[in-house]
Amino acid sequence: MKPSPEHLLRIGMSFWNAKALLSAVEFGVFDALAETPADLRTLRAKLGLHERSARDFFDALVALKLLEREGGVYRNTPETDFFLVRSKPSYVGGLLEMANARLYESWGRLTEALKTGRRQSENKEEGDLFAALYADPERLRGFLSAMSGVSAGAANAIADKFPWKDYNSFVDVGAAQGMVPVTLARAHPHLVGVGFDLPQVQPIFDEFVAANGLAARISFRAGDFFADPLPQADVIIMGHILHDWDLDQKRLLLSKAYDALPPGGALIVYEALIDDERRENAFGLLMSLNMLIETAGGFDYTGADCQGWMRAAGFRETRVAHLVGPDSMVIGFK
């Protein structure tokens, strides 16, 4: 059998699919159709699209299984209606909004990043990506919403797969908008939690927690996880945190977590962990390239890597557990 170029062309042109979805989120296609299904003319007028492009755009979304069409009327799929309507608490489109506004353009400079080892994000000349990001309230809100999108599935899996009945309190380090604390507190009414992040995050965190009716059990603690001690709790969580930093900084954060835990306490680190053979989790490997583009020294890693760093920090026992999709967690017990 002769080889086929289909696989190569599908990967090489997959940015077409991605940009169609990202633009649909930007235009609010799914928001508009959540209000009521609509025909071509109505939907085009509502979104302000040119008549030349609209039909092909909407029908491409149908072909991509992002919309349904029956009798000339478009409607959301169950998946897009649940996850991509901004007014719903299940919305995860913040990550796609960030991908559209920032990452799509930055990834166009991947070749330069691979040549130089230097980050290529839109503020690449600034010394500290996060300082610049957190200094702009609008960009910060978008970034924190994106972190909720990337953490939602993992948060539910952590709520289900970790033995929370044995623990009473937790701290989410780098808590962002608060998706993980809210998810855990909702699933386990006995838990009290703290979100630990920079001071600029507090209004956004408090708003999200209050909107979910959990302000009595979830509080915010302001601090810098490099400059300040971590808050003490039975369980410390670091989600999509370690991969932002170089190896020495990773080791420092793990050591600080160890110091903040009581005997018998646990550290949960979750990421899109690269599989130990570095062959299967393409998302984790591509995420590591995203860290090349976005950060000065960050990189993703395998479960075995993280277990080794945890043991070096003093954790007596470690294990890896799959969460959902590309995400897994490494648990270290003190």
Side-chain angles (χ1 to χ4, degrees), residues 271-288 299-305 326:
E271 309 264 18
L273 292 179
I274 299 169
D275 58 289
D276 288 348
E277 295 298 319
R278 299 176 60 85
R279 294 178 181 273
E280 299 298 330
N281 191 354
F283 186 90
L285 291 159
L286 293 171
M287 180 62 83
S288 198
F299 62 93
D300 283 75
Y301 47 88
T302 68
D305 291 333

Side-chain angles (χ1 to χ4, degrees), residues 198-211:
L198 295 174
Q200 301 94 312
V201 174
Q202 182 164 5
I204 301 169
F205 180 94
D206 286 346
E207 176 186 315
F208 185 76
V209 170

Side-chain angles (χ1 to χ4, degrees), residues 19 22-23 26 95-105:
K19 195 62 179 76
L22 298 181
S23 289
E26 181 180 5
L95 177 62
L96 301 182
E97 292 178 39
M98 183 176 75
N100 193 45
R102 299 183 55 246
L103 300 183
Y104 192 85
E105 180 181 356

Side-chain angles (χ1 to χ4, degrees), residues 26 127 135 196 224 254 324:
E26 181 180 5
F196 182 70
D224 178 328
L254 293 174
V324 62

Side-chain angles (χ1 to χ4, degrees), residues 288-326:
S288 198
L289 294 180
N290 192 60
M291 292 302 101
L292 165 67
I293 287 171
E294 287 278 274
T295 71
F299 62 93
D300 283 75
Y301 47 88
T302 68
D305 291 333
C306 191
Q307 286 182 288
W309 303 331
M310 283 184 172
R311 287 192 293 270
F315 288 91
R316 61 178 171 79
E317 180 187 343
T318 64
R319 61 183 174 88
V320 178
H322 178 251
L323 294 173
V324 62

Side-chain angles (χ1 to χ4, degrees), residues 181-187 193 208-219:
V182 161
T183 301
L184 296 180
R186 187 188 295 124
F208 185 76
V209 170
N212 282 274
L214 290 165
R217 289 194 288 126
I218 299 175
S219 60

